[in-house]
Amino acid sequence: MAYDFDLYVIGAGSGGVRSARFAAGFGAKVAVAESRYLGGTCVNVGCVPKKLLVYGAHFAEDFEQSAGFGWTLGEADFDWATLIANKDREINRLNGTYRNLLVNSGVTLHEGHAKLIDPHQVEINGQRYTAKHILIATGGWPQIPDIPGREHAISSNEAFFLKELPKRILVAGGGYIAVEFAGIFHGLGADTKLLYRGELFLRGFDGAVRKHLQEELTKRGLDLQFNADIERIDKQADGSLKVTLKDGRELATDCVFYATGRRPMLDNLGLENTGVKLDKRGFIEVDEQYQSAEPSILAIGDVIGRVQLTPVALAEGMAVARRLFKPEQYRPVDYNMIPTAVFSLPNIGTVGLTEEQAREAGHKVQIFESRFRPMKLTLTECQERTLMKLVVDADTDKVLGCHMVGPDAGEIVQGLAIALKAGATKRDFDETIGVHPTAAEEFVTMRTPVAG
Ligand code: NDP
């Protein structure tokens, strides 16, 4: 049967666009449907604008610390509307870049909501198209728990477009988004509280990293409240919000921001017209080659809920394009040693196993740690400290994990990830000459284990 397209991609986010462009480059006839914004979550309401806001928040401490270097500044004043307008302009530019990338690679762009009609057919803007393969790359959407008053809360989708910086904000959650946005709002001058339901935020990260970040954020004056779970939100006559916790406490705020995970975006996708199955958590179930239970339909990225990170979606998108249209170049995605950063202030950078995971997996471990005051701060009043940690297999000498909390941790961990992927041992680290004077050189000068 002749199809209209070899590949029809639903969703022009990181994974979908990468897959479409590669497939078109391999000679396939490709279309992409997008109902919202080109570039998906990452470009529009995720990584990119978030990082711009983090830069914005960082200026607060730069101004403060500049005094130690002899600068005298006038009173600093921050204007949220300017930051948001400039951010919007940059995101518009990136939307245009994505459009050009698609069009120049020969991909047909359909703007509208695509719905599956059957395993080989989609409908969009009243038109039907057939395709040999359909790739679902519709991503995720913030999930706010079903509590009374949830309609008064915002998610990251709205946070990027607030008209004003709230005077008081309460961030609920203890994952990437909650920690990053609490740092943004606090840095920009809002009275910020972070509420997390458990004992300590950032579950799944190395214990020392979680504790260190808790201490650093507290030093900065961010109000961290753990074992704090919201029961209800009530709007008050003056427009403020009353937040009642499950333990009965009441908090007053102007904005409640939920960052409690993301669900797969499957709304009105027409999955019921196909044999696609969902896993227990509601994400699309795929095999190791991203094929769903319906052989002609594949899925990648946040909608499969494996690792919700842009670079992972990119790798998955490329793997799909290669497998379908350039099988001789196909390589499965390696999910080991995925480096990641939390753009809190200070940043977390991490790759490989945490100490807890290494011990649980049965490794005999040696732990190396370095804690120090970054050189830049020695001329300032700031008492912030950096943490670096190596988890080493005592039997094989292999470095199993690298963890850092401190300035530029995200930048530093990228290079370490290459070393760990290549199987570097602690001896390789020791024999590597440091770059002096940097913080990163501490990773090659840790000599004595702090724990075994
Ligand atoms: P996460 O899954 O990282 O964290 C969710 C947080 O919300 C956890 O602390 C969780 O607590 C808590 N939570 C979940 N359900 C509830 C509930 N019903 N009530 C109260 N608290 C709850 O999700 P995020 O929304 O922060 O981010 C989504 C994903 O986006 C991340 O997992 C990450 O993959 C990606 N991301 C990556 C970034 C980066 O690379 N820098 C930046 C931002 C997002 P508990 O631990 O107790 O379950």
Side-chain angles (χ1 to χ4, degrees), residues 63-109:
F63 292 144
E64 220 175 274
Q65 291 163 13
S66 68
F69 294 86
W71 291 91
T72 307
L73 300 178
E75 200 175 323
D77 191 25
F78 168 70
D79 182 42
W80 170 262
T82 302
L83 175 59
I84 295 302
N86 289 345
K87 178 270 290 179
D88 287 346
R89 204 182 50 235
E90 172 59 8
I91 302 306
N92 275 334
R93 187 186 70 79
L94 291 173
N95 294 145
T97 305
Y98 266 72
R99 184 178 299 277
N100 291 340
L101 281 175
L102 282 173
V103 172
N104 294 341
S105 57
V107 174
T108 303
L109 175 62

Side-chain angles (χ1 to χ4, degrees), residues 208-282:
V209 164
R210 298 165 73 192
K211 195 91 195 63
H212 191 86
L213 190 73
Q214 178 199 5
E215 285 163 12
E216 288 304 328
L217 296 183
T218 305
K219 264 192 221 165
R220 282 168 184 246
L222 184 55
D223 184 358
L224 300 177
Q225 305 212 3
F226 298 152
N227 298 310
D229 211 359
I230 299 179
E231 186 168 85
R232 61 180 299 125
I233 306 168
D234 292 287
K235 192 152 196 149
Q236 306 298 96
D238 63 359
S240 69
L241 300 172
K242 182 175 87 176
V243 174
T244 310
L245 305 187
K246 286 196 176 141
D247 61 13
R249 274 187 296 150
E250 289 179 356
L251 302 170
T253 189
D254 302 308
C255 182
V256 178
F257 175 164
Y258 262 89
T260 45
R262 296 172 62 85
R263 67 173 173 88
M265 178 34 94
L266 302 171
D267 300 358
N268 195 26
L269 195 56
L271 288 185
E272 64 284 2
N273 302 326
T274 72
V276 172
K277 287 201 174 71
L278 305 183
D279 66 20
K280 286 195 293 285
R281 301 171 308 146

